[in-house]
Amino acid sequence: MRSFVLRKMEFSLSEEESNFTNSELLVLIFPFVLPFRVKSWADAFGGELYSIATKYSGSLLLQKKYKDVEPTLKIKEVDGLELVKKFSEQMESMLRRKVEAVERLVEAAEDADLNHEYNSSLEFDYYNSLLINEKDENDNYVELGDEFILEPNEHFNNLLVNTTYSDIQLPTNVYNKDPDILNGVYMSEALNPVFVDNFERDPTLTWQYFGSSTGFFRLYPGIKWLPDENGVISFDCRNRGWYIQAATSPKDIVIIVDVSGSMKGLRMTIAKHTIVTILDTLGENDFVNIIAYNDYVHFIEPCFKGILVQADRDNREHFKQLVEELQAKGVGTVNKALTESFKILREFRDAGQGGLCNQAIMLITDGAVEDYEAVFEKYNWPDRKVRVFTYLIGREVTFAPNVKWIACNNKGYYTQISTLADVQENVMEYLHVLSRPMVINHDHDIIWTEAYMDSAQSLLLMTTVAMPVFSKKNETRSHGILLGVVGSDVPLRELLKLAPRYKLGVHGYAFLNTNNGYILSHPDLRPLYKEGKKLKPKPNYNSVDLSEVEWEDRDEIVKGRLMWNSLHDLLQPDLSLANEWIYCITDIDPDHRKLSQLEAVIRFLTGEEPDLECDEELVQEVLFDAVVTAPMEAYWTTLALNMSMESEGGIEMAFLGTRAGLMRSALYVGSEKLSNRKFLTRKDKESIFTMDHFPLWYRRAAEHPPGSFIYSIVSEDDSGNFSLNARREKRRRWAPVGVQIKLELLQRKFWMAMQQVGAPLSVQATQCSWSAGAGLQCVMHSGGIFIRAAVKFILKDFGRASLVLEVQPVPHTLMQTSSLWSSDRVCSPLPPPHAAHRHKKHDTLQPCDTEYPVFVYEPAIKETNGLIECGDCQKMFVAQQIASSNLLLLVTDATCDCSIFPPVLPAHNASVKCDRMRSQKLRRRPDTCHAFHPEVQLWDCRGELRALIHLSSLFI
């Protein structure tokens, strides 16, 4: 008696990451069977499936309804280029409003400073964001902590805020009553009415702020600031990307650090902290490298020898790890390090590479035995195109004159750092030097930052528009005094609202990138990963290159559709709209913010809210879909009343979706009996219409031939979401309709189909002893149904590499592999032997360079059979496509062990990683550069030497 078993196994990778990204595989294990017999099994099972899905989804009825209205439809072809131009113009208009708000803040701040006279004995109470509403033991408000009304606000993610007033935040290391702080805070009070006025003019504005060069941060709306778990306020506005980019032009920087024996202990600790702080002042428009020197000169990253690399987040974090490994020994020879640095900077400048603006060398040392005049005379004088900034580490002053001389004679700045607490303020001084040419010219450049995560807004991706604020006072003009930077946050989802999904279609999407090619927003950019139950930003979420998420695809024409009117059909309980889509603008008027999109559309149509601004084209399209799909509710209800639980128990839900974001659903069982209660809810982001994508089942249906069933197994709760693509022709209107069925019913129907065609059904559970993942891959590849392709790319993160079988849909292209990097896990490559002592968090949050194996389905092959060599035996197999579906029936021999096949692993390649990090990508440099100005005083480089040189200059 023959025996065989039906098995469903799973890959450990997530759904969109598995190798067989679109195939459903039913595996039978048994001694041998003829191919024609397998085809009869597949046909019988396919007939059962077709009957169930057709009946309970109502696909034929929906097809008929759309066919009935075809004579009234007219296909309107949309010019894709014109559509993009329109989106661009709308985005430009929206961004212009943000810029105007910032410009008003700049004008108010500069005028306030012009009219303010500095008072060293000023006494002034202000709202300190850390102390507001705090009381002492006598129930009195503490100093700087008066009553500050805070109320939840939906526009600010229900945070407690004060929309009538701003408050002040200061880092822990900045004294809150320092005269410079008090004068700056008092002067900047003039920004409060401008904050409020800006918000009234443009209610889509979010946070507005002023970051002062003295360290305070004025934020609107005002909030209560909480310290970290150590009771420390580490946030310093001057370290933020928006502040640094607005305050300076692009920079090419070589950091030289002394690692000779005299730098041991605290000095080395301070030096490392100084390097890390300098790295934090760099952004993706800057270029950098780090050279360590003692008896010899070496680049701390050999991969970057002789070049500058872009100071994006990946490279900065990589440098920080390497800096932690530096050890002090030997004797310092700074002249060789200086020579190497000047050569690199000159080569990049001559080749038109790097930032092509400011160039600087940062020398970090505990002393210099000479001034190295010969090196500067050969490589930097008389033009002094490279500034040299010097940082003397420790309290020793014996060699201070030489270190000062180096900075002052190379348009730089000298500072001494004796403690860790000194690092922050002293490093920031170089930014003031670099900002002077821009300040003297009063060039208010507008900058937009890369994407970043705002933790206050539930980890929402943001970009910032910022502008510098200068002193207008005549007596300080030549000093080039930067007062600070004003900015405003712009949620990137606000920009994407201007490129609505319904105009782009299921295969279309909008994305944004920076001038450096890094992604601001993209459907395949998933910047978060899960650590336990907590979501956290991935370490490289804002330095993902466009080439890492884009694959070449066929051009498609965006199509429009005619519109229909019927309000009644929108009011049915089974209907919902994509709540993240913008049918009507509800976030401007506070009275509208509590409305769902469906509620807003209804009020717009009934005239209850005449002030609502709605997209009439989208509203009329959704009305059309509501009319055509309305009969589905009655159809599903009738089936539910008459279905037999004995023969059809396990059919749980029917659903459909349309291109206009309309969804209908009906339950065949009580909601408490659903095996997958999350499906089609807001928690199930993949299966509903969102701002970023159409539902996953909708997208799959769109990729398959008309009339075919698309099956998708939800393995975690043993329920299935089965969807039918009811499209009639490629250019016509269509809507996928589907049904959710328990796997138990699927399995029952399979055995029933086998009985009908006389299959041997003496069922006995047997152990599957062959390597499922590797064995199946070999079957698929050798049989010709799947074509193996090695996709080489930077895989940002993935889970375990072990593979087991899973039921998945069949891919027609390699398109979906573009999202392989975007899972919810992070990659954990093994550290090299020399890095075994690194911190654990550095080892676990690393990008991985891989060659990833992908098997692409070949739809022309309907069936195949063959043999697989498995050591001492041969495993026979037959694979048969199940008609009108994306299912394959695979039958294999149970007697031959194929466990000798090793699992297919992604390949890691250190050289690929090096190439990527050092590559000079195509980019557009910022439009402006402020490197030098003739009015900048060369002597202003700090310390007694500054005064001496100034006096000699006057004498001359």
Side-chain angles (χ1 to χ4, degrees), residues 223 401 785:
I223 64 170
I785 287 184

Side-chain angles (χ1 to χ4, degrees), residues 80 93 111 144 153 196 204 236-237 252 300 389 395 447 454 459 493 551 621 664 676 683 710 723 750 791 907 915 934:
S93 176
D111 288 346
L144 303 181
N153 189 298
V196 176
T204 65
D236 189 327
C237 62
D252 295 342
I300 69 168
F389 296 88
R395 301 184 184 279
I447 67 99
D454 185 359
L459 299 175
R493 62 184 299 142
W551 289 78
E621 286 202 23
R664 289 186 184 273
N676 183 15
K683 292 182 180 179
I710 312 303
S723 59
F750 178 81
V791 181
D915 290 343

Side-chain angles (χ1 to χ4, degrees), residues 783-799:
I785 287 184
F786 285 85
I787 301 171
R788 178 176 175 135
V791 181
K792 296 182 179 180
F793 62 101
I794 308 296
L795 183 60
K796 291 285 184 175
D797 56 281
F798 61 98

Side-chain angles (χ1 to χ4, degrees), residues 54-69:
T54 301
K55 178 179 179 180
Y56 287 97
S57 67
S59 62
L60 297 180
L61 174 61
L62 187 61
Q63 287 178 359
K64 180 179 183 303
K65 290 301 178 182
Y66 274 108
K67 189 174 182 62
D68 289 344
V69 298

Side-chain angles (χ1 to χ4, degrees), residues 557-569:
I557 299 174
V558 183
K559 304 171 182 65
R561 301 174 300 164
L562 281 182
M563 302 169 283
W564 198 273
N565 287 284
S566 175
L567 177 61
H568 174 266
D569 292 312

